Amino acid sequence: MSADEFEELSHDEVRNTMLPPTPEEEAGLADLYGRMEREHMIPLWTQIGDLMPNQPSPQAVPHVWRWTSILPVAEQAGELVPVGRGGERRAIALANPGLGGRPYITPTLWAAIQYLGGREIAPEHRHSQNAFRFVVEGEGVWTVVNGDPVAMRRGDLLLTPGWNFHGHHNETDRPMAWIDGLDIPFVHYTDTGFFEFGIDRVTDEATPDISRSERLWGHPGLRPLSALQPTVNSPIGAYRWEHTDRALAQQLLLEDEGVPATIEPGHAAVRYVNPTTGGDIMPTIRAQFHRFRAGTQTRTVREVGSTVYQVFAGRGEFVLDGERIVVETGDLVVVPSWTACRIGAETDFDLFAFGDQPIIERLHFDRRFIEEENV
Amino acid sequence: MSADEFEELSHDEVRNTMLPPTPEEEAGLADLYGRMEREHMIPLWTQIGDLMPNQPSPQAVPHVWRWTSILPVAEQAGELVPVGRGGERRAIALANPGLGGRPYITPTLWAAIQYLGGREIAPEHRHSQNAFRFVVEGEGVWTVVNGDPVAMRRGDLLLTPGWNFHGHHNETDRPMAWIDGLDIPFVHYTDTGFFEFGIDRVTDEATPDISRSERLWGHPGLRPLSALQPTVNSPIGAYRWEHTDRALAQQLLLEDEGVPATIEPGHAAVRYVNPTTGGDIMPTIRAQFHRFRAGTQTRTVREVGSTVYQVFAGRGEFVLDGERIVVETGDLVVVPSWTACRIGAETDFDLFAFGDQPIIERLHFDRRFIEEENV
Amino acid sequence: MSADEFEELSHDEVRNTMLPPTPEEEAGLADLYGRMEREHMIPLWTQIGDLMPNQPSPQAVPHVWRWTSILPVAEQAGELVPVGRGGERRAIALANPGLGGRPYITPTLWAAIQYLGGREIAPEHRHSQNAFRFVVEGEGVWTVVNGDPVAMRRGDLLLTPGWNFHGHHNETDRPMAWIDGLDIPFVHYTDTGFFEFGIDRVTDEATPDISRSERLWGHPGLRPLSALQPTVNSPIGAYRWEHTDRALAQQLLLEDEGVPATIEPGHAAVRYVNPTTGGDIMPTIRAQFHRFRAGTQTRTVREVGSTVYQVFAGRGEFVLDGERIVVETGDLVVVPSWTACRIGAETDFDLFAFGDQPIIERLHFDRRFIEEENV
Amino acid sequence: MSADEFEELSHDEVRNTMLPPTPEEEAGLADLYGRMEREHMIPLWTQIGDLMPNQPSPQAVPHVWRWTSILPVAEQAGELVPVGRGGERRAIALANPGLGGRPYITPTLWAAIQYLGGREIAPEHRHSQNAFRFVVEGEGVWTVVNGDPVAMRRGDLLLTPGWNFHGHHNETDRPMAWIDGLDIPFVHYTDTGFFEFGIDRVTDEATPDISRSERLWGHPGLRPLSALQPTVNSPIGAYRWEHTDRALAQQLLLEDEGVPATIEPGHAAVRYVNPTTGGDIMPTIRAQFHRFRAGTQTRTVREVGSTVYQVFAGRGEFVLDGERIVVETGDLVVVPSWTACRIGAETDFDLFAFGDQPIIERLHFDRRFIEEENV
C-alpha cells in the first residue's frame, strides 16, 4: 500500500487486516499482560486507535441547555441553598452529557449559571482559575475584583483573572442570575490550581457606575503611563455592552458601504482583548461576540478547541455534525473540538461565545477546516 | 475571621463550620438535585473543595519503575508481539498507579519503553503528538524523521515533533530499547490530535553517523541563511551525548574555578533548546539533563507541573513528599505537580529529565516553592 | 589610578595627562596622517573624545518656537506659495539651531507647521517615512489616508504610517494650520526611504465625522475578527481629543480618590498606542499627552532620546539644563537627548509630546536618570 | 496624469512641470525665506526631492580598501603611536569617501584595522557602542571582555557588546592586526552613547585556549539552567573558525546530496546568532559568513541597509551598481544601502560580512529587490 492510501485509513480498518493470534500466542500474551499489570505498564499496540485517533474524537458531545430550564433551577436553589463561606457561590455547572457526570461543559471549560438573591453577598476568595461573567439579563450586582467594584449589567463581560480576590454583592431586592465561565477543568486536570479564602463580605461596597479599571483603561488606543508593561491578563474589568453593540453595528454599516469589516457576509464579530498586548483577555479563555443579520448562514467550520455559545438576542440555529438545534435568548450550546458547526440566523441574531482556543494556539495545536472550501 | 486567618484554612476546615441541613431542607435539596441531574447540571457548592483545592492535589503519585524490571518485560514482548502496521510500535507505557489504569505517567505525559528487535522496522506514521526518544543504553537503530535518518546512540536525545512522518529500523542483529516521551495524554484530553499512516518501511534507509538536521544546525551560535524564520519546534533532530556531557563537565569545572555556572553547588544542568528561539524544544515538553557531584543534595523544591527522571549513570536518591527512593542506572521516577522533591547523589550522578513545564509556563500557571528559602 | 577614579574622568582630563610629541614624532605623524588621508583612513586616537563622549553630547540644542511667531510665517507662505504637485505640502520645518541649518528639530525627527488655505488640496503621495499630525486649533480639513477620509479637529492626533498614500483637502473657506511630525531625518540618515507620487486630488472626498478606521477599531478592548494579526503600525487613523481628555481627567480624579493612576502627583499622562500590540503607534515615533494640575512640578529627568512638546492649553515652564523657558498655547519646545528636563505648571497645563524613544528602546540604548532620586 | 504615471516620476521630473515665479513672487518669497531663517524655520517645498528621494540615495559610496595598503599603514602607526590611556586603541577607521571626511564606513557603521604590537596592552574601558572583532590573520592576542579572557585566532569572530569592560593584551613578541566593527556612527548620530574608563591593564591576564563564555554556551542546542532568560546580546564571546568552516562545508556537501541547505546554488552562508533568541548577535549589528564555490555568481540584490565585506580567502569580484571590483584576501568592500550588488567567485571564495540590518529590520524599513526576479 502506498502512503496516500494509508493516510486515508482509520486505525480500525488497519487493525482488521492483522492476523488473529494462535492459542499459544494468546497464552503468552496473557502472561505478558499480567506481568505488565503488576509492573504498572500498559502496551501501546492494543489501544493506539483510542489513544491516537485519526482526528479528534471527543467524549464531550454537542448539547443545548435552555434558559427556560436552567433559570428555574437556579431560582429553586436560591430558595434552598444559602450563599456564604464554605459553599462560596450559588453556581450550578452545566455538565456535558458525554463527560461522565463531571461538572464540565467541555474537557477544559466550566460554564455555570450563578444566582444571587436580593441583598445577598458572595464572600471573597481567590484562585488560580481564570474566570469571567457574562450577563444575559438583569442588573444590580457589583462584583468586587481586587478591591475594584464592577457593576454588572445586561450585555457586559466582566473579568476575574487568576489570583484576584473577588466577591459579589446584590444591592437590590431582586435576584440576579448570570453565566460564569472558568478554566476549572483544565486547572484541575493539569494540577495547577491554588485557592485562598478572603473576607466574608466584599472589600469595597461602593456602587459606582463604572469601575476604576475602566476609568484607567477604557479609552481606545490610549494607555496610562503609570502602567506600561504588558500584563498576562487584561487590566479591563468590564467590557460594556454599549461598546460591543456599537462595534458590531459599525461592522455591518461598513459592510453596507462595501468596506471589508465583517468576517463573512452578514456576520460581524469582535474579540475581547487585553489592551496591553492585543491578545486574548486571559491565557486560557477566548471571548468573542457575534452578530448575524437575519437570514445569514455561516460556512461549516471544524476547529480544534471547544466553544460555548449563549444566545444574547434573537432566534437561530446551530447545525452540529449534521444535527439541527434551534435556539433562543439565553440558551447555551456547547460545540466540542472538531465538531462541524454551521450557524444560521432566523432573526437578527446576537451570540456571545467563549472557548479554550488560547490554550490550543499557544501550544500550536490549532487547525481549522472549512467544509465549503474543501469540496 | 480575618482574611489572613481564612487564607490558612482548607476547604474542609471551613466546611465543618457550616450548619447541617434540617430534614425539610434535605428533602428540598433532594428534589433540587434530582432536577439538576435531569437537566445536566451540577452544583458547585457540594464539590468546590475537590474542584478547587487549596493547592494542587494530583491523582498521580510519585513512583519508580526499575530498569531491571521493565527491560525484561520489553524483551518478553519482543518475543511475543510483532512490530508492524496496526500496532505500529512495540512500546510499553509506564502507567502511574494513581491514574486509574490509564497508560499515562502523569496527566499530561506519556513515557514508554520501546523495544526493536534485530533487523526489525517500525513503519512510518505521523501524529499531532510531540515525541522524543532518549537512549540509556545500546545503539544500532536509526529513526527516520521527515525523511532524515537519525542514528540513536547512548545518551542521545532524538526529537520527533508533531506531524513529522517517522519510523525506525534496526540495522543490527541485536535488539535495542529506549525511552519514548510524548504528550499523548494531553493531546487526548484536549481533543487536539490527528494521526496518519505512512509507508510500511522507512523513507530513507541510509545509516549516516549524523543526521542532515545536525549537519545544518549543529554548530553553536550559527544558523543557516537558508532557514532564518523561528520554528515552533527545534530543527535539531539529535542532541548528542558528547555535547551534553561536555557542557555539564564544563559547568563543574567552571564552578571549581569560582565562576557562576551551576544552579546550586555541585549541581550542573542544561536545558535542550530550539536554536531558532532559545526556548524549549517543543511546545509541550521540556527536556533537561542534570549532573551531580557525589554527595550533593539539592534543596527541596515544589513546582507546578510534572516531571519524569531517568537515571543515566550513578546511584542516588529522590525524597518525594518525604518518601525516600534509591535509584540506579535506567530507573525512572515520576514527580507529580507540587510534590516536594529533593535529590541526593550517592555517587557522581547523571539524570535525564522531561516535563510538561512549557504547557504550564505558556499558560502562566507556573509557581515554584523552595522549602529551605521559606522557613 | 583605580577603575573607580577613571570612571569619573572625562576624555579631556585623561588626554591632558599624556606627553606631547617631540618634533621628530610630529614629523613621523604628519607623514602617517598624510598616508592615511590618501588611503581614506582616519585614526581613532585623535578623536575618540568627540566620537565617544562620556555621555550623550548632542549638537541639537534646547529651543522654543512661539506659536505667535510661526503661525504668521505659515500665513504669509499661504499667500505666496501654492500647494500642489512638486512642492507637495505647504509645510515649514522647525530647524534646530544646533543642527547646522538642516530642517531637523532633532537628529531623528522632523516637526513642521503645515498650512492649508480654504478649499485647497494637498495632492496624494506616499513614502517610507512615518508621519502624524496634531491639531492645536482649527478644523475643516480631512486627511485621506489609504483612501480613508479622516476629519482633523482640535486636540486630535492623526496617523499616516509609512507607505500609505495620503492627501489633505480643506472643505471650508478658512485656512487651517497644524503640526506634522515625521522621522524624515532618521530615514534620510539611514538611507531607508522610498517615495511615490499619487493622484493630484484625494481618492475619497467624503467628509465623514469619523473615519472608517475609528469605526472598526475605536472600541476599547475590542478588535474585529476580520483583522486579528498584529500590525507594525496602529490601525487607528485618529485619536480623538474627547478620549484623550477623558482619560487624563479620570487619572486626576482617581488620584483624588487615592488610587494609583498618575505618574507623579498632579501629573496625568497617556501614551497613544497600537491596539494590536499595546506598543507605540509607529516603529520610530512615540506620542504622549501630559496633563498637569496648576502648581505641579515634575522631577528633573534625563533620558536617552529626543522629545518635542507642544503646549495644548495653559501656561507653564520648561527648565532645560538649568535654563527656564516659559511657554503658552501652541509653543513648541525641543528637548535633546540627555538634557535635564523639569516641567512646571503655572496654570492647569496640557502638553502634547512626541519623541524617538521607540528607536532607542528597540535598539536597547534606553537609559533614564532622575536627579532627585540620585542625590 | 494617473497615479501609475506619477509613481514612475522622479521629483526632478515633477518639478520641471511647475511654473517659474514672477519677479514680484520672487521678492515676496525672499522676504518670506528671510523671515523663516530668523525664526529657525525651513520650507519643505524647496527641498523635498533631497529629503525624500524616490529611493535611497546614499552619500556613502561603494569603495574597496586593499589589505596590502591598510596593513602597512597600521604597521607604521605601530612604530609611531603608543597604545595606552587616552588614545585607548591603535585603531584606524576606514572612511567612506562619500561621507565628507568622517571616520565612518557607512552612515551607521565603523570599520577599523586595529594593531597591537608584541607585548602591548590596550587598557580597559566600556561604552554603549556595540563592537566585534574579526581576525583575518594572526593570533596571540587575548581580548578580555567583562573579565573573561578570549583568545583571538584566524577566522574567529569576537564580541564586545555594549557596556562590557574590555581590553586587549598581546602575549607574543609579534604584532597582530584585526578588524573592528562598531556602531559608533549610529550611536553618535542618535546621541545615545556613554563611555567609562577602566583599569590600565586587563582584569584577567590568563591565556586560556577558549573563553568561559564558550565553555558555558558553546554547545549546540544546549543552554545552562543557570542562565535561562533571553539576553539583549549574545552571551557567546567567541565564534570559532572551526565551527564556521564546518557549518559552511556541510551546507555545500548537503547541496551535493540534493538537500536544501544553501541560499542559492554554490553559495553557502551562516548568520552568527544570539543563542538565547536565535536572532542577531547584537541589536545594531548583523554578522554573517559566506562561502562560494569557484565560478559561482550570485543574483543582483539591492537591499535597504549597508554592508561591509572582508575577503577571508580566495579571489572574486563585486559588481556594485555596475562597477566591477576584483578582491583578494583581506580586502574590505563597502556596499551602501540600495546599491545593486552581485558577487562572483573566481576561486573558492570565503567572505565575512557585517551590516546594520538589525536596525533596519527592528524599525521595519527593510526592503529587498532581486533584479533577476523582476525583469
Side-chain angles (χ1 to χ4, degrees), chain D residues 228-244:
Chain D
L228 288 173
Q229 293 307 308
T231 56
V232 168
N233 301 296
S234 174
I236 302 178
Y239 292 77
R240 296 295 175 194
W241 173 241
E242 68 197 74
H243 298 132
T244 307

Side-chain angles (χ1 to χ4, degrees), chain A residues 16-210:
Chain A
N16 291 338
T17 68
M18 299 172 69
L19 286 181
T22 66
E24 298 86 61
E25 285 170 344
E26 290 266 26
L29 286 172
D31 178 70
L32 173 64
Y33 293 155
R35 190 171 172 188
M36 283 187 188
E37 193 171 347
R38 288 188 297 278
E39 297 288 351
H40 298 290
M41 297 173 79
I42 299 175
L44 172 63
W45 54 86
T46 60
Q47 32 183 296
I48 185 168
D50 294 327
L51 280 173
M52 303 174 87
N54 292 64
Q55 58 182 49
S57 173
Q59 291 181 287
V61 295
H63 191 74
V64 61
W65 288 259
R66 302 291 173 189
W67 190 244
T68 52
S69 299
I70 64 177
L71 183 60
V73 173
E75 288 166 342
Q76 184 180 354
E79 289 160 22
L80 293 170
V81 180
V83 157
R85 182 58 71 216
E88 300 294 305
R89 298 291 183 262
R90 195 187 289 110
I92 311 170
L94 308 186
N96 192 296
L99 290 176
R102 282 174 293 166
Y104 300 168
I105 196 161
T106 80
T108 53
L109 295 172
W110 163 280
I113 181 169
Q114 184 168 162
Y115 185 90
L116 200 62
R119 306 294 162 188
E120 281 188 333
I121 295 181
E124 293 206 349
H125 59 214
R126 67 176 175 180
H127 42 67
S128 305
Q129 289 84 354
N130 296 293
F132 72 82
R133 333 207 171 278
F134 179 74
V135 183
V136 74
E137 64 180 34
E139 64 182 9
V141 169
W142 271 255
T143 179
V144 182
V145 180
N146 206 18
D148 187 11
V150 184
M152 298 176 66
R153 289 186 292 262
R154 181 176 175 275
D156 294 345
L157 175 75
L158 303 320
L159 302 192
T160 310
W163 215 239
N164 285 286
F165 274 114
H166 58 283
H168 322 304
H169 61 114
N170 189 337
E171 287 298 304
T172 73
D173 296 323
R174 294 175 311 281
M176 182 176 171
W178 63 83
I179 293 301
D180 286 342
L182 291 95
D183 51 15
I184 290 174
F186 185 81
V187 169
H188 191 261
Y189 161 76
T190 50
D191 298 320
T192 48
F194 295 80
F195 182 99
E196 274 184 13
F197 294 103
I199 65 169
D200 283 356
R201 296 186 65 87
V202 293
T203 45
D204 187 335
E205 301 196 14
T207 56
D209 199 46
I210 60 168

Side-chain angles (χ1 to χ4, degrees), chain A residues 35 42 76 93 107 189 191 337, chain B residues 35 42 76 93 107 189 191 337:
Chain A
R35 190 171 172 188
I42 299 175
Q76 184 180 354
Y189 161 76
D191 298 320
S337 186
Chain B
R35 190 170 172 188
I42 298 176
Q76 184 180 355
Y189 159 74
D191 298 318
S337 185

Side-chain angles (χ1 to χ4, degrees), chain B residues 66-258:
Chain B
R66 303 290 174 190
W67 191 244
T68 52
S69 299
I70 64 177
L71 184 60
V73 173
E75 288 167 342
Q76 184 180 355
E79 289 159 23
L80 293 171
V81 180
V83 156
R85 182 58 71 217
E88 300 293 306
R89 298 292 183 263
R90 194 187 290 108
I92 311 170
L94 308 187
N96 191 296
L99 290 176
R102 281 173 294 166
Y104 301 168
I105 195 161
T106 80
T108 53
L109 295 172
W110 163 280
I113 181 169
Q114 185 168 161
Y115 185 91
L116 201 61
R119 305 295 162 189
E120 281 188 335
I121 294 181
E124 291 204 350
H125 59 213
R126 66 174 174 180
H127 41 67
S128 306
Q129 289 84 353
N130 296 295
F132 73 82
R133 330 204 174 279
F134 178 75
V135 183
V136 75
E137 64 181 35
E139 63 182 9
V141 168
W142 272 256
T143 179
V144 183
V145 179
N146 206 18
D148 186 12
V150 184
M152 298 175 66
R153 290 186 293 262
R154 181 175 174 277
D156 294 346
L157 174 74
L158 304 318
L159 302 193
T160 312
W163 217 236
N164 285 286
F165 275 115
H166 58 282
H168 322 304
H169 61 114
N170 189 337
E171 285 299 301
T172 74
D173 296 323
R174 296 176 309 282
M176 182 174 171
W178 63 84
I179 294 300
D180 286 342
L182 291 94
D183 52 15
I184 290 175
F186 184 82
V187 169
H188 191 261
Y189 159 74
T190 50
D191 298 318
T192 49
F194 295 79
F195 182 99
E196 275 184 12
F197 295 104
I199 67 170
D200 283 355
R201 296 187 64 87
V202 292
T203 45
D204 187 335
E205 301 195 14
T207 56
D209 198 47
I210 59 169
S211 64
R212 291 194 282 265
S213 75
E214 292 161 84
R215 294 165 64 192
L216 206 48
W217 284 99
H219 314 284
L222 299 174
R223 65 189 291 181
L225 249 65
S226 51
L228 288 174
Q229 292 308 307
T231 56
V232 168
N233 301 296
S234 175
I236 301 177
Y239 292 77
R240 297 296 174 193
W241 173 241
E242 68 197 73
H243 297 131
T244 307
D245 184 39
R246 195 182 301 142
L248 295 164
Q250 286 289 359
Q251 287 188 18
L252 292 177
L253 286 170
L254 285 163
E255 185 183 76
D256 287 337
E257 300 169 21

Side-chain angles (χ1 to χ4, degrees), chain C residues 172-297:
Chain C
T172 73
D173 296 323
R174 296 175 309 282
M176 182 175 170
W178 63 84
I179 294 301
D180 285 344
L182 290 95
D183 52 15
I184 290 175
F186 185 82
V187 169
H188 192 260
Y189 160 74
T190 50
D191 298 320
T192 48
F194 295 79
F195 181 99
E196 274 184 13
F197 295 104
I199 66 168
D200 282 356
R201 296 187 63 88
V202 292
T203 46
D204 188 335
E205 301 195 15
T207 56
D209 198 47
I210 60 168
S211 64
R212 291 194 281 266
S213 74
E214 291 160 84
R215 294 165 64 191
L216 205 48
W217 284 98
H219 313 282
L222 300 174
R223 65 189 291 182
L225 249 66
S226 50
L228 289 174
Q229 292 307 307
T231 55
V232 168
N233 301 297
S234 174
I236 301 178
Y239 293 76
R240 297 295 174 194
W241 173 240
E242 67 197 73
H243 298 132
T244 308
D245 184 41
R246 196 181 300 142
L248 295 164
Q250 285 289 358
Q251 287 188 17
L252 292 178
L253 286 170
L254 285 163
E255 186 184 74
D256 285 337
E257 299 169 23
V259 177
T262 54
I263 56 169
E264 52 190 346
H267 180 184
V270 291
R271 181 172 296 170
Y272 300 92
V273 295
N274 175 350
T276 76
T277 64
D280 282 296
I281 43 173
M282 299 186 293
T284 53
I285 299 178
R286 171 162 298 164
Q288 300 187 155
F289 205 105
H290 299 264
R291 171 168 291 174
F292 303 90
R293 294 183 203 271
T296 298
Q297 291 274 351

Side-chain angles (χ1 to χ4, degrees), chain A residues 228-365:
Chain A
L228 288 173
Q229 293 306 308
T231 55
V232 168
N233 301 297
S234 175
I236 301 178
Y239 292 76
R240 297 294 174 195
W241 174 240
E242 67 198 73
H243 298 132
T244 307
D245 183 41
R246 194 181 301 141
L248 295 164
Q250 286 289 358
Q251 287 188 18
L252 292 177
L253 286 170
L254 286 163
E255 185 184 76
D256 285 338
E257 300 169 22
V259 177
T262 54
I263 56 170
E264 55 191 344
H267 180 182
V270 290
R271 181 173 297 171
Y272 299 92
V273 295
N274 175 350
T276 76
T277 63
D280 283 296
I281 42 173
M282 299 185 292
T284 53
I285 299 180
R286 171 162 298 165
Q288 301 187 154
F289 204 105
H290 299 262
R291 172 168 290 173
F292 303 90
R293 294 182 203 270
T296 299
Q297 291 274 351
T298 69
R299 294 167 301 171
T300 305
V301 178
R302 292 177 188 268
E303 70 174 9
V304 170
S306 51
T307 305
V308 177
Y309 293 90
Q310 185 175 31
V311 180
F312 183 68
R315 182 181 165 89
E317 67 176 17
F318 283 77
V319 183
L320 301 175
D321 281 345
E323 295 284 324
R324 183 167 176 266
I325 302 170
V326 176
V327 287
E328 291 184 308
T329 302
D331 292 352
L332 288 122
V333 174
V334 59
V335 181
S337 186
W338 211 241
T339 303
C341 174
R342 186 164 57 76
I343 300 173
E346 192 172 317
T347 64
D348 285 354
F349 191 43
D350 275 7
L351 278 179
F352 171 76
F354 70 100
D356 63 2
Q357 289 80 13
I359 298 173
I360 307 302
E361 292 178 7
R362 282 164 189 246
L363 304 175
H364 295 278
F365 289 118

